[in-house]
Amino acid sequence: MAKFSVVVVFLLLSPFIDGLRFLVVGGTGRVGGSAGTYLCKLSKAEGYDPSDVTLILGGRSSSSYEASKARISSKLIALGLGVPSIEFLKVDLEAPIEPLTATIESCSPTILIHTAGPFQQRTDPNLLKSAIALKIPYVDVCDEPSLCSKSKALSSTVPAIVGAGIWPGTSAIMATEAVHHLRKFENSGDISFPCDDETIDLSFYTAGTGNAGATIVSATFLLLCQKALTFSNGKKAEIEPWIGSRSVDFGGDVQTKTVRLLDNPDVFTLQSSLSSPNISSRFATSPELWNLLFGAMKTSIPKFILEDKILMQGLAVFSLPVIRFVDSFVGATNAMRVDVSSKSGNSVTFRVIHDDLEECVGLATASFAYEVLKGMDAGIYYPSDLGEEERKGILERVKKEAVLWDFETSYDK
């Protein structure tokens, strides 16, 4: 009934809405700009007239807006696509909830997509609260477990997805698919309870920064002082980051990389949705010098410096010329691997590779947004909460630009 109501309300209001209006808060950054590009790129395939699309880029700086608008426009032109109407909305995420809500309301968005990271150390899902108050569907790419939890605790009369994107986000859907596949085999088709000693191992690799900008770099710095959430035998265990190294074969040209523990909200959201007793997440980058540097930073820089958000953002910006130079040699590949296994020795492995992190995170974020617009039930969801139809829709979009998409099972008949 809730799903029907949301769709009916949208259809009744659509004649009074100036087309499809996407508000991307953080749209003046690299991740948000990429999401904006794919919101436009996918519009025709999703059944919308591209000429009716308006892209609203929310941010603090008009100069950053102009740069992002130019990047989006040039990408769409290079693809032979028309450039939609692109507008700027000045958004202050630190503003009290009332003026923030008024700012969002002023541009009459069809949907709100929040990509303005880093999310580390934020404690209030204020933008989601504004969306709920205005009855605007919502998607964010939050990668902070405690903030995801606070978001999920809210009540909403419109659909909202928190922790979306490529990873976290699509990775959680990959894990959900793998878990369900294994449970169907071992539990005679019943996916409602875990296999014996069910284990989810998440592994990620990004070449350099993946072209994703200073915010991704500063977020990684902040994660070095944040314990990595894991689950072992159903119990939560917070472990020092950047230890517990493993060699993981991502397949394709990426091949084998050494990954280390790093906090990832997929661990929290998957446990909440699936009740899997054993979950952990690891990450690696290249060149190997960056991995060694992260380890050195964690052990040699005092925690109070590493957790200084402003200082880490400044360090990221200062380091960007060197990082970009290195990126030009190592590329921007993003690889994900999910391994699900049980005590019986049965296992499922799901591997996905894209050529460019900046591109695939934009594609994934737009995929979640379009799935919301199809008319989901009202409520606040983690990616792993989504139904089979929604998961399939998101994976089908993300798969289109993958250079490797490999789902393997190893079952003892």
Side-chain angles (χ1 to χ4, degrees):
M1 182 64 183
K3 179 176 182 178
F4 177 76
S5 300
V6 171
V7 175
V8 168
V9 169
F10 180 77
L11 291 174
L12 289 174
L13 290 177
S14 59
F16 306 100
I17 298 174
D18 185 17
L20 188 60
R21 296 176 60 81
F22 292 108
L23 171 57
V24 184
V25 175
T28 58
R30 299 298 285 262
V31 171
S34 179
T37 301
Y38 277 94
L39 289 167
C40 299
K41 183 178 176 180
L42 297 177
S43 59
K44 187 174 182 179
E46 295 296 326
Y48 298 95
D49 186 339
S51 64
D52 289 336
V53 172
T54 298
L55 188 59
I56 308 159
L57 305 181
R60 294 171 295 181
S61 165
S62 58
S63 60
S64 295
Y65 158 71
E66 293 295 342
S68 185
K69 178 181 178 180
R71 280 198 308 272
I72 293 170
S73 299
S74 64
K75 286 182 179 180
L76 293 174
I77 291 170
L79 292 168
L81 303 174
V83 178
S85 173
I86 303 179
E87 303 173 0
F88 175 61
L89 181 71
K90 189 174 181 61
V91 177
D92 179 8
L93 290 176
E94 304 304 319
I97 189 68
E98 291 82 5
L100 178 62
T101 302
T103 298
I104 302 306
E105 186 177 27
S106 69
C107 69
S108 302
T110 309
I111 185 170
L112 193 164
I113 300 104
H114 182 10
T115 67
F119 290 86
Q120 283 72 33
Q121 300 177 15
R122 290 183 185 169
T123 59
D124 187 10
N126 53 359
L127 206 54
L128 173 56
K129 291 179 179 178
S130 293
I132 292 171
L134 297 169
K135 301 188 185 315
I136 298 170
Y138 172 95
V139 171
D140 72 33
V141 296
C142 178
D143 57 356
E144 174 67 16
S146 61
L147 191 57
C148 287
S149 179
K150 287 186 177 180
S151 296
K152 185 71 181 291
L154 299 175
S155 177
S156 176
T157 58
V158 291
I161 304 177
V162 298
I166 194 69
W167 65 271
T170 303
S171 49
I173 293 180
M174 291 168 57
T176 303
E177 292 294 303
V179 165
H180 285 182
H181 202 283
L182 182 60
R183 288 182 183 181
K184 285 178 182 178
F185 179 80
E186 292 209 353
N187 300 341
S188 301
D190 191 343
I191 63 172
S192 64
F193 63 95
C195 303
D196 191 11
D197 200 30
E198 182 175 284
T199 299
I200 304 174
D201 290 315
L202 306 168
S203 302
F204 305 97
Y205 164 79
T206 301
T209 65
N211 280 332
T215 297
I216 294 292
V217 178
S218 65
T220 305
F221 290 162
L222 292 168
L223 285 171
L224 291 174
C225 67
Q226 184 169 305
K227 289 189 175 182
L229 177 65
T230 68
F231 285 88
S232 178
N233 297 320
K235 296 181 180 179
K236 181 170 71 172
E238 294 183 328
I239 300 175
E240 285 297 318
W242 220 244
I243 61 172
S245 61
R246 291 180 181 174
S247 294
V248 172
D249 182 4
F250 288 95
D253 292 337
V254 176
Q255 299 182 347
T256 301
K257 302 294 179 184
T258 300
V259 294
R260 298 168 175 86
L261 282 169
L262 198 65
D263 201 33
N264 174 7
D266 281 341
V267 172
F268 171 78
T269 60
L270 285 167
Q271 212 284 329
S272 173
S273 302
L274 302 174
S275 301
S276 298
N278 305 294
I279 315 176
S280 62
S281 180
R282 289 168 170 80
F283 171 70
T285 186
S286 64
E288 181 60 21
L289 174 63
W290 287 163
N291 295 306
L292 298 175
L293 180 61
F294 288 153
M297 289 178 66
K298 194 206 98 173
T299 56
S300 62
I301 298 178
K303 183 179 179 181
F304 76 89
I305 295 179
L306 276 177
E307 64 186 8
D308 188 318
K309 198 170 183 178
I310 296 175
L311 186 59
M312 289 302 102
Q313 180 70 13
L315 177 60
V317 172
F318 176 78
S319 306
L320 210 53
V322 174
I323 292 170
R324 288 287 182 226
F325 177 74
V326 175
D327 281 356
S328 67
F329 291 97
V330 300
T333 300
N334 182 73
M336 305 182 288
R337 173 168 171 158
V338 175
D339 291 285
V340 179
S341 60
S342 67
K343 187 176 183 179
S344 66
N346 295 319
S347 64
V348 179
T349 297
F350 198 166
R351 295 186 289 191
V352 173
I353 300 177
H354 289 84
D355 279 333
D356 189 298
L357 173 64
E358 180 186 359
E359 297 296 310
C360 70
V361 72
L363 170 60
T365 304
S367 298
F368 277 94
Y370 275 114
E371 202 59 42
V372 167
L373 288 176
K374 286 174 67 176
M376 288 173 49
D377 288 345
I380 299 171
Y381 300 86
Y382 296 143
S384 47
D385 293 331
L386 299 177
E388 184 176 1
E389 181 180 344
E390 288 83 8
R391 297 196 309 270
K392 181 180 178 181
I394 292 165
L395 290 178
E396 284 181 346
R397 296 183 190 94
V398 175
K399 182 179 180 179
K400 290 179 180 178
E401 297 193 10
V403 296
L404 176 71
W405 193 275
D406 181 43
F407 188 94
E408 297 179 351
T409 61
S410 177
Y411 293 161
D412 182 3
K413 300 290 186 182

